[in-house]
Amino acid sequence: MKKILWFVSVFAFISCIFAGCKSAPKVVEDNEVHPLALLDQDASIYVCVPVSNHKNLVSSLLMKQIEGLSESNAMSLAERTGNMYVSLGTVKDRSRLQIAALASIPKIAVSSAFKKKNGWKAVNVTFAGKPFVYYKHVVSVFQVSLPSSKILCAGQNVEPLIQRYAQKAEIPVNPVTEWINAENKSNDILFYITRPGQYLRNLIGQSINVGADAAYGKLIYIPNKKNLSVYSGKYELLFNLHLTDKKAADSLKGLLNLSFSMMGGTVRMIDERTIQLSGVEVSQHQIEDLFLRDPITGKHYKVVNDEVVEEKY
């Protein structure tokens, strides 16, 4: 099956619009809708990538996805993308993807990039009495919209995102947004998993009957010890797991210790229901493997000889 980079694949069609643009905005202006407020609230995974702090990783991912993209162009694209917020998957559709990002994109670049002769079709919509346009491409399931010169959004269906922008939606107050919307406090890649059961099995490597209602953490860049100016390609994983039953904490902590003690990981309780895993080093290659996997629609599926088959537990 063709690999899809789930949080930046849409840039394969719009990389040219950044040529000559100034750097992306670092913060959301007072009169602008926050990109996080545009995402649906029923997703399984949320991610915040402060792209300007992880340009090497993002540019490498872009080059692996976009055939013929040079290193310099990939880096230039990363430099012109600000904080990127991603939601992935729902209970019914694990492949659903939404992206909302800060960017700096002049109108002339948009009109130049999304031309009919390049395979794009413009769709006009109206929300809250205001006209908007989004773009569909003949060879992509993704749609792209730029509701303002500083906001880029994309997904299989961008109309809900545009509608929230038109209605000047505010960021909902919940544990997900409180963790993800920490861009002013953190330069790390932040993630929050609202339905961690299936991911917990992958993390530990075996099926367990432990209830968990949230998993959240970060990927922290590890600087090059010999030369701080040289990209190390190494990150530390910090992972918090919140349990629904505190009685299960000891057994799960023991399983995590067995799985990660040989990797230098530290497992500890930070409260009676939350286990924290830290100190596990992951490479750029491992992160790329994670981001380059196909999103598969369904609850529990795997790929066998290019066919999707249901796993039995």
Side-chain angles (χ1 to χ4, degrees):
M1 298 180 70
K2 184 178 180 181
K3 290 183 176 180
I4 300 175
L5 179 57
W6 54 267
F7 79 96
V8 293
S9 60
V10 69
F11 291 149
F13 299 108
I14 61 173
S15 60
C16 59
I17 71 177
F18 288 92
C21 298
K22 61 183 180 179
S23 297
K26 300 295 183 181
V27 296
V28 181
E29 297 178 359
D30 291 339
N31 61 343
E32 186 61 90
V33 179
H34 197 291
L36 181 56
L38 305 182
L39 303 180
D40 286 348
Q41 298 182 41
D42 62 345
S44 298
I45 303 173
Y46 292 87
V47 182
C48 173
V49 184
V51 178
S52 61
N53 297 104
H54 302 278
K55 292 179 289 188
N56 294 88
L57 173 62
V58 173
S59 61
S60 176
L61 289 166
L62 286 169
M63 286 188 291
K64 285 180 168 55
Q65 177 63 20
I66 306 173
E67 185 177 355
L69 184 66
S70 69
E71 182 177 357
S72 61
N73 287 337
M75 184 63 74
S76 178
L77 176 56
E79 289 173 347
R80 289 166 172 78
T81 307
N83 288 325
M84 177 166 29
Y85 300 87
V86 181
S87 69
L88 177 67
T90 65
V91 172
K92 295 182 179 180
D93 183 5
R94 285 175 58 191
S95 70
R96 194 192 70 182
L97 167 69
Q98 294 178 333
I99 300 171
L102 291 171
S104 180
I105 308 170
K107 290 183 178 180
I108 189 171
V110 176
S111 60
S112 175
F114 296 106
K115 291 182 177 180
K116 184 176 181 180
K117 67 178 183 180
N118 295 332
W120 291 100
K121 177 183 178 182
V123 180
N124 295 298
V125 292
T126 301
F127 293 109
K130 300 176 183 178
F132 295 91
V133 61
Y134 67 87
Y135 302 91
K136 301 168 63 175
H137 196 274
V138 293
V139 297
S140 173
V141 298
F142 290 106
Q143 303 170 358
V144 183
S145 180
L146 298 101
S148 82
S149 62
K150 294 181 175 60
I151 298 291
L152 165 71
C153 55
Q156 292 96 331
N157 178 15
V158 297
E159 288 197 19
L161 285 74
I162 301 172
Q163 184 174 14
R164 293 189 192 99
Y165 183 88
Q167 296 170 342
K168 295 189 178 298
E170 296 184 356
I171 301 174
V173 179
N174 55 50
V176 175
T177 59
E178 288 178 1
W179 179 257
I180 291 297
N181 189 31
E183 73 273 18
N184 293 327
K185 302 176 183 178
S186 173
N187 292 324
D188 306 317
I189 299 172
L190 306 177
F191 62 87
Y192 196 107
I193 304 172
T194 62
R195 302 177 181 92
Q198 58 189 306
Y199 304 98
L200 182 61
R201 177 182 181 275
N202 292 335
L203 180 68
I204 298 176
Q206 58 182 295
S207 298
I208 59 172
N209 295 317
V210 175
D213 56 6
Y216 56 97
K218 60 179 70 177
L219 288 166
I220 308 162
Y221 174 66
I222 301 174
N224 189 315
K225 294 180 180 179
K226 295 183 179 180
N227 188 340
L228 294 178
S229 64
V230 176
Y231 176 61
S232 70
K234 297 178 180 179
Y235 286 77
E236 177 190 344
L237 171 66
L238 186 146
F239 189 91
N240 300 300
L241 186 67
H242 187 265
L243 307 178
T244 56
D245 184 0
K246 63 182 180 181
K247 296 178 181 179
D250 287 341
S251 60
L252 181 55
K253 182 183 176 184
L255 285 172
L256 288 171
N257 265 319
L258 287 174
S259 299
F260 294 101
S261 60
M262 297 297 292
M263 300 171 61
T266 299
V267 181
R268 66 187 184 98
M269 301 294 302
I270 58 175
D271 61 44
E272 63 181 6
R273 291 180 183 269
T274 307
I275 300 175
Q276 183 180 86
L277 167 66
S278 62
V280 176
E281 184 178 303
V282 294
S283 66
Q284 175 180 308
H285 177 72
Q286 290 172 303
I287 297 172
E288 289 172 352
D289 282 346
L290 172 65
F291 288 148
L292 288 165
R293 291 175 183 171
D294 278 314
I296 302 173
T297 302
K299 292 184 178 180
H300 297 286
Y301 292 87
K302 62 181 178 180
V303 179
V304 178
N305 296 326
D306 282 342
E307 293 185 0
V308 180
V309 298
E310 185 176 358
E311 290 185 298
K312 303 297 183 180
Y313 294 100

